[in-house]
Amino acid sequence: MPPIGADSQIEVARSIESLRARVDGWRADKLTVGFVPTMGALHRGHLSLIAKAASLADRVVASIFVNPKQFAPGEDLASYPRQEARDLELLASAGCQLAYLPDAAVMYPPGFQTSVAVAELSKGLCGESRPHFFGGVATVVCKLLNQARPDIAVFGEKDFQQLLVIKRMVRDLDMPVEIVGAPIVREADGLAMSSRNAYLSAEERKRAGALNRVIADVARDLENGARVDTALRSGRAALEAAGLTKIDYLEARSAENLTPLGPGPLAGAPARVFAAIFVGKARLIDNWPVGGDRG
Ligand code: AMP
């Protein structure tokens, strides 16, 4: 984390009108605008997206909105960590000029009834156990991009399926914004940073560190020519041996369009290993590229 500067300054917009007034002002001054949507409870992963946006655009807007439409009843909407004052300081020190914090009534006023569905890419992986999820994400991101009208928007590869869903939506709906992916930021033991890691007890947190090691091993086995079915079977066994027994999914898929791969060895097209597990109260996801850049 960058130091939290007592003198860091950030402007806050809570309405579409005040967001647009500021962004339109920048545009009139010929400045480009980068946008980073978040649900808050910020960590270094989020801040890396701010830094990337700042490297690509003259001004950076970040939104903090815990989107009710992407939570199913019984999920953690009510308990999702909220820390607005700290988040604003972190955003300011990471190079963000404007924080957009709409409340649910701004985003979904009475009578709201439209949703955006990215049909194929939303199936499988996280879409399997969270069927409501990508519809909620695509709808809110579509609205946020229409509200802020940025030149670029940055999303983390941590949520790789989400990144592809958003890229597809922007292409399909001719939205005038460039979607940029950013690599996964990890803790010292390799655990992907996540706001939900806060749900883990010390013992669960220690166990969770095996997730990234296992998917990296599966990716390495696939790189070395192992059959997909064999590599995934060993991966499952390794997760279970590490005490990560509640496996939602462990799969190898195309990194371009998420087509499932296997059961034989990979044919050479870009692939990625994807996993989701339940640990204590948390559901953790991670993914690892087969070959190429280590993400
Ligand atoms: P969230 O607040 O969890 O909705 O995430 C907001 C954005 O931050 C999404 O684009 C995520 O993919 C991204 N993000 C979350 N965790 C990480 C991480 N560990 N590394 C990079 N990006 C991340």
Side-chain angles (χ1 to χ4, degrees), residues 13-28:
R14 294 183 191 270
S15 69
I16 301 169
E17 294 70 28
S18 50
L19 168 70
R20 287 235 174 108
R22 173 54 66 221
V23 172
D24 289 350
W26 287 334
R27 288 212 175 288

Side-chain angles (χ1 to χ4, degrees), residues 36-46 48-49 70 80 154-160 162 182-186 191-196:
V36 179
T38 82
M39 297 207 302
L42 302 179
H43 50 66
R44 279 197 289 113
H46 296 112
S48 76
L49 308 187
Q70 68 193 67
Y80 197 84
V154 185
F155 291 80
E157 290 181 349
K158 154 97 186 337
D159 302 274
F160 199 85
Q162 168 175 286
I184 302 174
V185 176
R186 298 178 179 280
L191 178 67
M193 290 196 168
S194 165
S195 308
R196 290 188 166 101

Side-chain angles (χ1 to χ4, degrees), residues 214 217-219 221-222 226-241 244 247 249-252 261 263-264 273:
V214 170
D217 285 348
V218 172
D221 289 352
L222 295 174
R227 288 179 59 84
V228 171
D229 53 4
T230 314
L232 293 177
R233 215 169 22 246
S234 323
R236 279 190 165 265
L239 285 175
E240 282 163 8
L244 302 174
I247 302 168
Y249 60 77
L250 174 65
E251 295 191 39
L261 301 173
V273 177

